[in-house]
Amino acid sequence: MTDNTQRPHDGAVQPTSPPIDLPTQYAPAEVEGPLYERWVERGYFEADAKSDKEPYTIVIPPPNVTGSLHLGHAFEHTLIDALTRRKRMQGYETLWQPGMDHAGIATQNVVERELAKEGKSRHDLGREAFVERVWKWKAESGGQISGQMKRLGDGVAWSRERFTMDEGLSRAVQTIFKRLYDDELIYRAERIINWCPRCLTAISDIEVEYQDDDGELVSIRYGEGDNSIVVATTRAETMLGDTAVAVHPDDERYRHLVGTEIELPLTGRRIPVVADEHVDPEFGTGAVKVTPAHDPNDFEIGQRHGLPNLAVMDEHAVITAHGPFQGLDRLEARSTIVAALRADGRIVAEKRPYTHSVGHCSRCKTTIEPRLSMQWWVKVGPLARAAGDAVRDGRVAIHPKEMESRYFGWVDNLHDWCISRQLWWGHRIPVWYGPEGEAVCVGPDEEPPSGEGWRQDSDVLDTWFSSGLWPFSTLGWPERTESLEKFYPNSVLVTGYDILFFWVARMMMFGLYAMDGTPPFHTIALHGMVRDQFGKKMSKSFGNAVNPLDWMDTYGSDAVRFTLARGANPGVDVPIGEDWVQASRNFANKIWNATRFALMNGATVEGELPPAERLSAADRWILSRLNSVVAEVDAYYDDYQFSKLSETLFHFAWDEVFDWYVELSKTTFQKGGPAADASRRVLGEVLDVTLRLLHPVVPFVTETLWTTLTGQESLVIANWPSDSGFRDTDAEREIETVQQVVTEVRRFRADQGLQPGQKVPARLDLAGTALAAHEDAIRQLLRLQPEGEGFTATATLPVAGATVALDLSGAIDVEAERKRLAKDLAAAQKELSQTTAKLGNEAFLAKAPDQVVEKIRKRREAAEADIERISAQLDGLPQA
């Protein structure tokens, strides 16, 4: 024993013994709702900016006001809630900041669909009335996710809930826009953007979903004879806007054409051939059509060569170019133009179907159209450099560290950000235009220019613009509030790696800019995506999407939470299946039943723990293991290893506490006396600490059990346990020996076909071993009766320095068991013979990979062990 001093854990409670008031079965539906309401009513989740406690801050990645709780939300919220619950128990002034995003496009689409049912459009209402209609919808139907978060047990500070369109956050948006504008980091320019012809707005890269679509690839001959060039395209309709053909400067095939003009089919226009290093001479014909107004790469080529930008489609993706195709939808025009080219002998080759990646609007699934448009932009160069430097110099840590390269790959190559959207719902751009072409940016405390001819920009800002301010706008910025001083910067950001490039990067840029170089968080902890049990992405179209509320209804919120946390390895996707949630429900039931049994047998937290010299080996073993688990769980939390901490707690609680210590204690309880009293106090201590450790992940069942055990107010505000330093390696070895004996005999009983509860006479020779003190417990665990008159040792098992002799007379069919074992022995001997022959074959060893040789070596070792085990079983059978 390395330390004979036993001390209570931090925060040990000293109440009087509470009455046992637990139903025989745990019913989550009856417990969870009322329990959460009580937590909120008592203000446990609120954060006090005036507190002198060390702050711990996490913001919720704001869900869309149109959304509902999906499995990804449940996963992320479980991890954040576990972190904040633990920190609150550790004595931090903990703020988990809640709120929602106004979700510009998504919300506008929802309300427009509602209007369509009335036979109206937003234009029928006008802008002001439409925005009023959206606010009305938000008040009546928006934000249902808040109630679902409560179902999950989210410990957020509800009094601080924010909305990206509320007055304070709108002021923050206008303030930072004005500052960026004045610093010449916001500008207006005509560039290529992603355009949705259905939503009629520019959309960000993150709002574009790419999928493989079947289209057609047509090769078109431009020009005549030796002065002709063949180009290939999947968007033939855009040829109407071609203003050049580009080839690589070193491509000998086209050197004679560079600088000349060729005829553009169907249009009567002539366009130049230009040399540009962007062209890959090895791909296709080595020549590309250049449509600067309808392709981002072509736009860049056009800028380099001074080409005109010829737009041939309107905002609805209808052809506007003069001629026979004017007024056609882009898809109608595509087939019509190909037919006209074919009739003119210009089609060199056609391939259909041609599968290629096509961008779609994530909201309405319409194919997006690259389109030249006048938009507002953020000049991200200096902002992105600052965001990269904050990670490089260690002010911000990315976890897991291997994700850093993805972050740098993004911020180091970030293009200017299009922030304007052609919507009515959102933060309207605070710029006014005058009758003489003036442009005035207006701050929140400034009066906009008035008079005839002045008008405000009609566009609104990208949703990511306001959500990029989230870590400080929610705390009252631009005012220097007490909350901002106390809770900024955030301690950690917990979010998915899929929005590392969008939301995270924007928060980093804005936080460093607005807060004088102070990054918005110390750590970025990235998690993966939730997938189905086969590792496939969850999607309604795949038919594998899961509503977590259904699982919570069936199995309880704790079961869903524990399943998600148990699968959460940093930065790695999380497979989940319903059978795993069932297993977690079983774990919650195990916690309930074992604690209820312990309480019925007098487990208590009353009084100090007895000194080590007054404790049994089992008592000292479980307390030693308990302290080791506390240390392990703390280390895993600090490293965001949710899966490992959950696994550690699962196996400690189920295997060591419930399946071993509780069972070992039964004999002690039956005997009574001081030893039983000591074990009851130890069992109470172990349950107290184990329930504390489990609480952040499974809060509902642990709260119910702990308050019953201790008589205290709530686990939410209880102290987090710490490692007292007590270790007893001697007791750990002693109980491990008991476990070895019990496990080996149980295995032998199972091999003989005995039922778990079937009692068998046995003689235990434990003299001279540490097992002697545990004979009663071993007999009880193994269902071994004392040897009686006529006892015959028909099977003798030497294990851990002791001997267990069993009388199996009449318990099994000896002859049938002998035949079964003989068959198993023959199979093991054959396996040994085959593996030994392979490992003795020099030619095989010379050619086989190391991993194959190692696999065969392990197979031989297993065969040798099987032969030894089966032979011992045969020798132990009664003789005929």
Side-chain angles (χ1 to χ4, degrees), residues 561-579:
R561 291 170 60 112
F562 191 73
T563 304
L564 292 165
R566 200 174 178 187
N569 289 299
V572 179
D573 288 346
V574 182
I576 185 172
E578 187 168 3
D579 53 338

Side-chain angles (χ1 to χ4, degrees), residues 76-122:
E76 187 167 76
H77 291 199
T78 294
L79 305 188
I80 299 175
D81 197 41
L83 290 174
T84 52
R85 283 179 182 270
R86 172 177 174 256
K87 286 295 182 180
R88 190 178 292 110
M89 294 173 74
Q90 287 182 316
Y92 289 78
E93 192 62 37
T94 303
L95 169 60
W96 183 10
Q97 173 67 53
M100 285 182 292
D101 191 284
H102 65 278
I105 294 178
T107 305
Q108 182 156 314
N109 280 347
V110 167
V111 178
E112 285 194 274
R113 283 196 293 270
E114 292 295 316
L115 285 174
K117 295 176 183 177
E118 303 170 16
K120 298 178 182 178
S121 73
R122 61 183 164 121

Side-chain angles (χ1 to χ4, degrees), residues 239-240 263-269 322 324-325 336-338 340-342 344 346:
M239 68 162 291
L240 300 175
E263 184 176 340
L264 179 64
L266 305 181
T267 66
R269 287 193 291 114
H322 293 296
F325 314 110
T336 305
I337 288 171
V338 170
L341 289 168
R342 190 184 301 113
D344 200 27
R346 294 287 178 175

Side-chain angles (χ1 to χ4, degrees), residues 381-410:
L383 302 174
R385 280 193 296 275
D389 290 344
V391 174
R392 287 189 171 93
D393 63 25
R395 282 176 290 159
V396 178
I398 293 180
H399 187 86
K401 189 172 178 60
E402 53 266 27
M403 286 286 182
E404 279 187 3
S405 60
R406 297 180 66 176
Y407 176 77
F408 293 137
W410 178 258

Side-chain angles (χ1 to χ4, degrees), residues 601-602 665 667-682:
N601 283 272
S665 299
T667 305
T668 307
F669 293 157
Q670 289 170 359
K671 291 181 179 180
D677 291 339
S679 290
R680 290 187 179 99
R681 178 63 187 91
V682 169

Side-chain angles (χ1 to χ4, degrees), residues 715-728:
L715 250 181
V716 179
I717 55 172
N719 290 340
W720 181 256
S722 63
D723 177 8
S724 73
F726 176 77
R727 300 289 190 279
D728 192 327

